[in-house]
Amino acid sequence: MSRDRAVSDVLGFVIVFSLVAATVGIVSVSGIGILQDARNAEQLNNAERAFDVLADNMADIHQEGAPSRSTEIKLDNARLEVRDPIEINVTGVNPTGTNPSVSYSSTPIMYEGRSDTAIVYEGGAVFRDAPQGGVVSEQPPFRFSDGEVIIPIIQTQQMGNTTSISGGTVRVRAERAVREPLPEFVQREADYDALIVNITSPRYRLWRRYLEDDADATCKITRPETVQCRIDDPKRLAVTRTLINFEFET
């Protein structure tokens, strides 16, 4: 009788120990995954806040006339990259048939971490970009109000040879090269029937969403990664260009 009880105690201990070990293993594996996801999400949020500061510093240059600004971005296991330039084109639709047009390229700055979501600064805006969609984290410095159309074209351009950098803390140093109004698009009483804005960018869908919502523009996709938006009957108009050179410093 006592032998049977001893065997039962041993079996009970083995079963309980196995359950505890299995539970600890499952919790450890899933818990590490949850912690990693939380860490990645926090790093991405921190990067987004740093890019908001970057956008503010760039605004000091193209809006306030500051000669230069520097922004520190902590990378840890992420990297900062220079991406292929986007294209911004503005065309005036004139009743006389002469339609002046200007085009400028702008080099995006992208943060990429462990997740499939990236933070991108381009054309004065900050985007949180992901394969399943994205959001405009910081709107471009355009203004549309009561018939007034103000479009500052922010033309960022890389100087130096470093196009990708990872780990540690990186400083993005930016300095103003050119700041000028575009005479054909600076009018107190606009004589254009409409303004056509074409943006070629991998984030064209986010540009489209912004322009449709903020400018009440009529937009369509004209070719791969290009959105064309028409802003009808502008009353007052100001389109400017600011060329900002930037580089990565460690």
Side-chain angles (χ1 to χ4, degrees):
M1 187 72 178
S2 59
R3 183 180 301 173
D4 292 341
R5 182 178 298 171
V7 171
S8 298
D9 290 342
V10 171
L11 288 174
F13 174 80
V14 170
I15 292 171
V16 171
F17 180 81
S18 300
L19 288 173
V20 171
T23 302
V24 170
I26 293 171
V27 170
S28 297
V29 172
S30 61
I32 290 174
I34 292 172
L35 288 174
Q36 288 177 339
D37 290 344
R39 182 190 62 185
N40 293 340
E42 184 58 27
Q43 287 179 348
L44 194 65
N45 290 336
N46 289 338
E48 186 174 0
R49 287 190 286 269
F51 267 61
D52 288 343
V53 174
L54 173 65
D56 289 342
N57 286 339
M58 292 292 195
D60 286 344
I61 295 175
H62 64 75
Q63 290 181 358
E64 306 299 332
S68 64
R69 286 290 185 269
S70 292
T71 309
E72 289 191 348
I73 300 175
K74 188 176 181 180
L75 296 179
D76 292 325
N77 297 317
R79 69 179 180 272
L80 206 61
E81 291 188 346
V82 174
R83 306 302 294 220
D84 292 336
I86 68 167
E87 191 78 16
I88 301 175
N89 168 272
V90 178
T91 300
V93 179
N94 197 308
T96 64
T98 57
N99 300 328
S101 181
V102 294
S103 294
Y104 295 100
S105 62
S106 184
T107 301
I109 301 172
M110 176 179 286
Y111 171 98
E112 287 188 306
R114 292 179 176 272
S115 69
D116 57 1
T117 300
I119 309 297
V120 186
Y121 175 85
E122 69 176 35
V126 177
F127 299 103
R128 188 175 178 126
D129 193 19
Q132 67 274 19
V135 296
V136 181
S137 174
E138 183 82 12
Q139 292 187 345
F142 301 171
R143 191 168 72 198
F144 311 98
S145 176
D146 298 326
E148 183 177 57
V149 177
I150 298 177
I151 300 180
I153 298 175
I154 313 305
Q155 187 188 11
T156 47
Q157 177 178 279
Q158 185 205 13
M159 54 184 178
N161 299 318
T162 303
T163 59
S164 179
I165 192 167
S166 60
T169 299
V170 175
R171 182 181 296 107
V172 181
R173 185 173 68 85
E175 60 184 39
R176 185 185 67 207
V178 175
R179 186 182 184 215
E180 62 182 1
L182 304 178
E184 60 268 56
F185 293 107
V186 178
Q187 301 176 350
R188 290 186 179 274
E189 295 183 5
D191 57 8
Y192 296 116
D193 290 337
L195 208 65
I196 305 296
V197 179
N198 290 279
I199 297 178
T200 301
S201 164
R203 286 149 291 281
Y204 68 98
R205 291 188 179 89
L206 298 177
W207 280 104
R208 177 179 185 171
R209 185 189 308 166
Y210 162 73
L211 287 168
E212 286 179 337
D213 291 346
D214 210 63
D216 196 24
T218 302
C219 300
K220 61 182 179 180
I221 307 303
T222 56
R223 62 180 188 267
E225 295 194 342
T226 298
V227 59
Q228 181 182 94
C229 296
R230 179 186 176 101
I231 304 168
D232 286 314
D233 195 25
K235 304 300 183 186
R236 296 172 302 281
L237 181 62
V239 180
T240 61
R241 172 182 77 115
T242 303
L243 173 60
I244 300 175
N245 292 324
F246 71 89
E247 65 178 340
F248 299 153
E249 297 179 340
T250 56

